[in-house]
Amino acid sequence: MRAYKPKGNVQAKPYYTDRYWKAPQVAKFDVESDEVFSADLAAIKSKFDVKEAFIQVEQMTVWINPSDIYEVLEFMRDELEYTQLSEMSAIDFLEQRDEFEIFYQMLSMSKRKRIRIKYSIKNGQAVDSISKLFRCADWSEREMYDMFGIEANGHEFMKRILMPYDWQGHPLLKTYPLQGDEFAAWYEVDKIYGKEARDIIGPELRDTAQVDRYDSERFARLGHEVPKGMDPDVEENKDKTQSYQEDGGVFMIKKLDKESSKVIDDPQR
Amino acid sequence: MAQHKINYTQDGGLPVALTSIDKIVNWGRSNSLWALTYGLACCGIEMMASGASRYDFDRFGTIFRASPRQADVMIVAGTLTKKHAEFIKRLYDQMTEPRWVISMGSCANTGGMFNTYATVQGADRIIPVDLYLPGCAPRPETLQYGVMLLQKKIRANKAGRAQKAKRLM
């Protein structure tokens, strides 16, 4: 028998699917094609276990073991002249492999080369902090914790950096909804007014396409202010348009006369 | 020594003006709307431009103050994040009555293009807003026109009546 496929939403399915489509990949090159990189890789390989190494877009990517990260970066900084940590963070591959990829982008100003150190950890594992090696990793590791929930062992101040301290959830996870979960939707109301204010203030209006037909009456148009509830487009309401100042003027203030005022409409003035 | 004698009733240019208490109080209030410096994002740049010499907010008596205790109007200029929401409420509470709030630009009005987890969807979820300015970002002319409308709103009210404290709830 054939395997059963649910046919409930057969209408919603796209008509055509390309079974032979493969996601485009950036071309990988052998490390031997570059002298500097092959020398660097040989130096790293002599001390540490390297799982995989290749060149992509003129940068070398080196996969290592998670436990070696501090020593590898220290070795690269002190021996191989990769003195700068440009960037570090994590990538969420929880759905595919239940793991995170952690990357460290290193830059050598003297060699004019960039190397990306990578390793993967399982969900829930912690990484080793490198903030003692590079001061810039201090905030990057805090951001990694904030956005993904990956803690860095040995970090001095392992707290959130972007979101408030009492936030729940890690927003850069693929499972986190863009418009926020229940906690995020009521965060400011709960914090300032308390949970009992939810009914009074009401839920957030998230539908960007919603049109409220009363908005044209509730809100005036700039330069065409009419009394509340009046339509400024109707011909007999044209002369009811409110001017900025009251009729008769204000004490010691000259009334604005639109006819005698000069309108500057030349953008090149 | 010269004798200086001023005859106040000599000509029509009297240094005396007769008016009502309402008008003089509202005249004072509406023409010295000191704004709380509250630039949160790119709208803040337009707000700064309004204060600088080309647009010159001082013509309207609007001077930016860095303290909520000395400010009459809070111009919420920019994206209000959820992290910042408690501070805008605190600063609003620190302003003395009577006080007004201008919500400047799409982000402060409705959250704007930031339909995300981290942005408050409209400053009026936190504090009561008197005036919503459309635009992304509104030009300085729009902000100045908005302040002029707020002046008109102030003048339309009785100054002597007990100020009802504005509360969202």
Side-chain angles (χ1 to χ4, degrees):
Chain A
M1 256 175 90
R2 249 184 293 173
Y4 174 75
K5 284 181 191 163
K7 300 175 187 70
N9 62 343
V10 76
Q11 296 270 319
K13 276 184 181 170
Y15 176 70
Y16 172 77
T17 51
D18 190 349
R19 287 179 293 165
Y20 303 105
W21 187 80
K22 271 186 77 178
Q25 300 282 323
V26 180
K28 292 177 183 175
F29 299 98
D30 200 29
V31 180
E32 305 303 320
S33 59
D34 190 291
E35 284 178 20
V36 183
F37 279 150
S38 49
D40 289 339
L41 183 63
I44 296 173
K45 266 185 175 169
S46 68
K47 290 199 155 193
F48 306 100
D49 183 23
V50 173
K51 289 178 174 173
E52 195 187 353
F54 48 84
I55 293 178
Q56 250 180 344
V57 205
E58 297 171 10
Q59 299 179 26
M60 183 164 71
T61 305
V62 182
W63 284 80
I64 60 165
N65 286 322
S67 51
D68 290 339
I69 182 63
Y70 189 92
E71 286 78 21
V72 167
L73 291 193
E74 190 177 33
F75 177 68
M76 286 179 67
R77 186 189 70 174
D78 297 339
E79 312 286 335
L80 301 181
E81 299 177 29
Y82 287 86
T83 50
Q84 287 186 28
L85 176 70
S86 316
E87 192 185 356
M88 61 157 290
S89 191
I91 308 168
D92 179 347
F93 283 105
L94 291 181
E95 198 185 346
Q96 292 95 326
R97 309 194 289 270
D98 194 36
E99 60 188 26
F100 290 104
E101 273 183 30
I102 319 285
F103 66 90
Y104 300 79
Q105 181 78 13
M106 307 293 294
L107 168 66
S108 169
M109 295 292 277
S110 55
K111 292 180 179 175
R112 292 187 288 168
K113 291 286 183 191
R114 292 175 196 272
I115 290 183
R116 189 175 302 145
I117 304 292
K118 275 187 145 185
Y119 60 85
S120 54
I121 57 165
K122 286 288 167 198
N123 188 15
Q125 268 187 317
V127 299
D128 287 337
S129 170
I130 53 148
S131 57
K132 297 273 193 307
L133 280 178
F134 297 97
R135 290 291 292 148
C136 61
D138 187 332
W139 282 11
S140 297
E141 280 169 353
R142 282 180 66 188
E143 188 186 353
M144 196 165 78
Y145 167 66
D146 193 355
M147 292 289 129
F148 294 98
I150 304 168
E151 291 190 40
N153 288 333
H155 193 283
E156 284 180 345
F157 193 68
M158 196 74 260
K159 286 211 173 197
R160 287 181 183 274
I161 190 167
L162 297 174
M163 304 309 291
Y165 285 163
D166 55 351
W167 191 262
Q168 291 173 14
H170 300 281
L172 221 53
L173 292 174
K174 302 264 190 215
T175 49
Y176 195 89
L178 173 65
Q179 299 184 347
D181 50 11
E182 169 86 9
F183 172 83
W186 293 103
Y187 174 77
E188 77 275 24
V189 174
D190 285 356
K191 191 167 189 185
I192 297 171
Y193 295 107
K195 274 201 166 66
E196 61 274 16
R198 285 186 180 193
D199 293 337
I200 302 165
I201 292 176
E204 290 174 327
L205 183 61
R206 288 290 190 174
D207 183 9
T208 50
Q210 177 172 337
V211 176
D212 189 346
R213 71 174 202 78
Y214 294 106
D215 276 355
S216 57
E217 296 166 19
R218 290 187 191 126
F219 295 100
R221 270 177 246 169
L222 284 182
H224 304 278
E225 285 84 7
V226 288
K228 194 179 179 185
M230 197 175 272
D231 186 1
D233 288 335
V234 181
E235 191 58 42
E236 59 256 26
N237 292 338
K238 294 275 189 204
D239 57 332
K240 296 200 177 72
T241 306
Q242 291 177 335
S243 61
Y244 149 61
Q245 276 172 350
E246 290 81 356
D247 292 331
V250 183
F251 170 56
M252 281 179 68
I253 295 174
K254 229 169 108 181
K255 187 165 166 58
L256 172 76
D257 184 9
K258 275 185 184 170
E259 273 66 41
S260 67
S261 63
K262 182 172 168 52
V263 177
I264 303 169
D265 50 5
D266 178 17
Q268 305 298 327
R269 67 187 186 275
Chain B
M1 189 178 266
Q3 292 286 315
H4 293 286
K5 187 184 175 191
I6 301 169
N7 187 358
Y8 285 110
T9 55
Q10 201 168 28
D11 57 12
L14 291 171
V16 175
L18 294 177
T19 182
S20 63
I21 294 287
D22 263 349
K23 277 190 177 169
I24 190 97
V25 170
N26 280 337
W27 171 74
R29 273 185 188 161
S30 62
N31 288 295
S32 65
L33 276 175
W34 286 6
L36 178 61
T37 309
Y38 216 88
L40 291 171
C42 32
C43 280
I45 304 292
E46 299 295 301
M47 191 177 71
M48 288 174 228
S50 316
S53 54
R54 188 177 181 105
Y55 295 96
D56 197 9
F57 234 151
D58 202 8
R59 293 180 294 158
F60 305 92
T62 297
I63 300 167
F64 286 104
R65 307 298 300 181
S67 163
R69 314 273 180 193
Q70 301 166 348
D72 304 299
V73 55
M74 173 190 267
I75 303 174
V76 186
T79 318
L80 180 60
T81 57
K82 300 210 175 196
K83 193 179 184 180
H84 193 82
E86 59 172 314
F87 307 121
I88 202 174
K89 178 71 168 68
R90 190 185 303 166
L91 287 166
Y92 178 76
D93 288 343
Q94 284 175 354
M95 288 165 66
T96 50
E97 300 271 4
R99 57 193 172 189
W100 297 274
V101 175
I102 296 177
S103 164
M104 179 181 179
S106 297
C107 293
N109 292 341
T110 64
M113 66 175 183
F114 297 105
N115 195 1
T116 64
Y117 60 90
T119 309
V120 176
Q121 302 294 302
D124 52 3
R125 288 178 65 78
I126 308 296
I127 51 175
V129 174
D130 293 275
L131 204 68
Y132 299 87
L133 291 181
C136 181
R139 286 194 51 98
E141 291 95 322
T142 315
L143 178 58
Q144 293 186 334
Y145 187 71
V147 168
M148 284 158 79
L149 286 176
L150 184 64
Q151 288 179 338
K152 185 178 175 182
K153 180 183 176 176
I154 293 166
R155 287 187 203 121
N157 287 335
K158 288 256 183 255
R161 65 156 192 190
Q163 290 284 335
K164 196 181 157 208
K166 284 181 205 155
R167 294 279 183 277
L168 202 61
M169 51 173 290

